[in-house]
Amino acid sequence: NAGVTQTPKFQVLKTGQSMTLQCAQDMNHEYMSWYRQDPGMGLRLIHYSVGAGITDQGEVPNGYNVSRSTTEDFPLRLLSAAPSQTSVYFCATTGPRRTEAFFGQGTRLTVV
Amino acid sequence: GQQLNQSPQSMFIQEGEDVSMNCTSSSIFNTWLWYKQDPGEGPVLLIALYKAGELTSNGRLTAQFGITRKDSFLNISASIPSDVGIYFCAGRDGNKLVFGAGTILRVKS
């Protein structure tokens, strides 16, 4: 049982490039979310999904797109990478009680 | 948006000492969570609190959900080197979790 799997673990992009961060879960949870973690700022919610076909914006959605075609997968797309998007990105799922969140190991993204 | 004020920002303590950290908010939360993050890893849930006034323990960790529902604290007793890491509080707001900025714990053995 892998839980929440994120790929890649590390990525370097040039400004203006696009890419997709992958997140897959095998916990059959409806709720999935993406956070970014920056020094001294904790985790900030980018986008979330309460089930397949449903997504919504979090606190810092600009520059990111998401889709949720299956329960298992919740990819995060950077449309045109900017240095301000250099961060560590975490995907999380939440069980039926909508309380405890289970996190992946993170993707460390650097935009140069 | 909502903000959680977590303090202290960092702590440097002797092994064996007790540790206390807390989170306060201007908004009410119905659930408080405490997470620990090790270097290079994602946060891992330590304790979940669901009712105002609730006091819950997990080994050497004890956390309480404030009566006003606007605060929570986490205590670690008899700290050991593996307690090193970043501790986050989080409050649940509907479908979303709001996180504090974290407390960095460093233990001197």
Side-chain angles (χ1 to χ4, degrees), chain B residues 2 20 25-26 35 40 49 57 59 61 63 68 72 78 80 96 103:
Chain B
Q2 291 178 309
S20 184
S25 170
S26 58
Y35 287 85
L49 303 159
S57 293
L61 278 60
T68 64
S72 177
I80 59 178
K96 307 172 190 177
T103 294

Side-chain angles (χ1 to χ4, degrees), chain A residues 2-82:
Chain A
V4 181
T5 303
Q6 289 183 237
T7 56
K9 195 164 177 64
F10 301 95
Q11 182 71 49
V12 178
L13 288 179
K14 293 182 179 179
T15 297
Q17 285 185 317
S18 62
M19 81 158 293
T20 300
L21 280 63
Q22 301 291 345
C23 176
Q25 56 111 351
D26 62 3
M27 306 170 81
N28 202 30
H29 287 168
E30 292 294 326
Y31 186 90
M32 297 186 74
S33 52
W34 276 101
Y35 293 85
R36 60 177 289 173
Q37 183 178 25
D38 301 296
M41 300 188 73
L43 290 95
R44 293 182 292 169
L45 182 64
I46 304 171
H47 285 284
Y48 66 99
S49 168
V50 299
I54 306 169
T55 64
D56 207 344
Q57 296 181 349
E59 180 185 356
V60 287
N62 293 339
Y64 308 96
N65 274 358
V66 293
S67 60
R68 185 90 181 274
S69 56
T70 67
T71 299
E72 293 78 19
D73 300 298
F74 190 42
L76 178 73
R77 297 184 188 85
L78 279 70
L79 309 173
S80 177

Side-chain angles (χ1 to χ4, degrees), chain B:
Chain B
Q2 291 178 309
Q3 290 186 337
L4 294 184
N5 297 311
Q6 188 171 349
S7 64
Q9 288 186 333
S10 65
M11 305 182 71
F12 192 49
I13 62 170
Q14 288 279 86
E15 183 177 355
E17 286 184 348
D18 295 344
V19 173
S20 184
M21 59 191 78
N22 68 82
C23 266
T24 60
S25 170
S26 58
S27 304
I28 290 174
F29 289 104
N30 292 319
T31 302
W32 282 92
L33 306 169
W34 285 92
Y35 287 85
K36 183 191 177 202
Q37 185 180 27
D38 292 323
E41 302 289 333
V44 174
L45 182 68
L46 297 174
I47 292 179
L49 303 159
Y50 302 106
K51 287 173 53 178
E54 180 180 355
L55 184 71
T56 298
S57 293
N58 178 7
R60 294 179 296 106
L61 278 60
T62 301
Q64 184 157 31
F65 191 148
I67 289 291
T68 64
R69 292 193 285 160
K70 293 183 178 181
D71 62 330
S72 177
F73 73 75
L74 174 71
N75 286 342
I76 305 172
S77 62
S79 57
I80 59 178
S82 62
D83 289 335
V84 164
I86 306 176
Y87 291 80
F88 291 101
C89 63
R92 186 168 75 89
D93 173 26
N95 283 323
K96 307 172 190 177
L97 287 180
V98 179
F99 282 83
T103 294
I104 301 172
L105 185 62
R106 300 180 178 92
V107 177
K108 184 178 180 181
S109 60

